[in-house]
Every structure is written in structure tokens, then in C-alpha cells.
Amino acid sequence: MTTITAGGSAHHDEASEEHEHPADSYYWGVFGALALLTALEVSTYWWPEGWHKVTHIALIVMMVIKFATVGAVFMHLRNDAKILRQIFVFGVIVAIGVYIAALGSMLFFYDSGNSEINYVPRHHPMPPPATDPPPVIAPTHGE
């Protein structure tokens, strides 16, 4: 911050100097990179079924990259106080832990090998065959 003293000389205070904001093109570039990462995340829906373990790891890595990029660039955390960055990193760690716990619980209870649980069939069951033919009702002729 530059201040002018009573004698007319300029004094530059480096401790209170604010960081310069990048050009708009920088933000548009970050937006493009985030859009590409989002498209890659969405494309994991069509990845082969045998790639599920790779897909989960890739999604976690992309989530962390996007989370950190948005915080550092758009929330300007890279220029903030160290304590704010530490709180942000703690939030990332908690989010990853919750995601992995939820994912792990779903994969753990899926086909756990317990034969006592009646799993819902994955196809529509056929109706049982008829045991007796339906009764024939004779038409009445207006009595």
C-alpha cells in the first residue's frame, strides 16, 4: 500500500500490500480445466464394469483436484492466512474420509456371502403357471 506523507514523499508499506488479481483469461482457463475434469468425471459412467476400482480412485483424485482448485483460485485461499488454508485442508480430508466410508460400506455389504438374506432378484420374476383352467360360464338367454 502506498501512502503519501505530509512532506509529499511516497511511502510503500509491504506488509499491507494486497496481491494482484490475474487477468480474466486466467480464470477462463481454470474454468475450462474444471469443465474438462467434470466431463471426465461424468464419462466414468460409461467406463467398463470391470474398471470399478480404478473408477473410484480416479473420481476421488479428480474430486480433490477440483476442490483444491476452486478453493485456491476462486476463493483466493492461496493468498490467505495459513490457518485458513489448514482449515480448508482439514475439510478436504474429512470429505475424503466420508466418501471412502460411504463407498466402503456399500461395497462391503454388497454380496457379503450371507445366504440367510434374501436378496431382491435382479430380473422380473415370471408369474407361476396356472394350476386349473378358468371356469367356463355358460351364457344365459334372458330368463
Side-chain angles (χ1 to χ4, degrees):
M1 173 182 220
T2 304
T3 56
I4 300 183
T5 61
S9 63
H11 176 69
H12 190 67
D13 185 11
E14 295 202 19
S16 64
E17 182 177 333
E18 293 184 24
H19 65 278
E20 293 186 26
H21 289 281
D24 289 345
S25 60
Y26 173 76
Y27 290 110
W28 282 107
V30 172
F31 166 76
L34 290 173
L36 283 174
L37 266 176
T38 301
L40 185 60
E41 285 176 333
V42 171
S43 75
T44 61
Y45 179 78
W46 292 280
W47 289 7
E49 211 169 305
W51 290 18
H52 280 252
K53 291 183 181 183
V54 174
T55 303
H56 298 309
I57 293 169
L59 284 171
I60 290 172
V61 169
M62 288 186 278
M63 172 191 70
V64 170
I65 291 171
K66 285 173 56 176
F67 195 71
T69 302
V70 168
V73 175
F74 295 110
M75 296 170 60
H76 307 286
L77 284 180
R78 65 180 167 188
N79 299 319
D80 262 344
K82 186 177 180 181
I83 187 72
L84 296 176
R85 281 193 304 267
Q86 290 172 343
I87 292 171
F88 185 76
V89 169
F90 177 74
V92 170
I93 292 169
V94 169
I96 291 170
V98 168
Y99 182 78
I100 290 174
L103 181 66
S105 69
M106 286 184 244
L107 292 177
F108 178 79
F109 292 111
Y110 177 79
D111 194 22
S112 63
N114 189 348
S115 61
E116 295 178 18
I117 298 175
N118 187 11
Y119 290 107
V120 178
R122 296 185 186 276
H123 55 79
H124 296 289
M126 297 296 294
T131 54
D132 293 325
V136 177
I137 300 176
T140 57
H141 296 3
E143 293 179 35

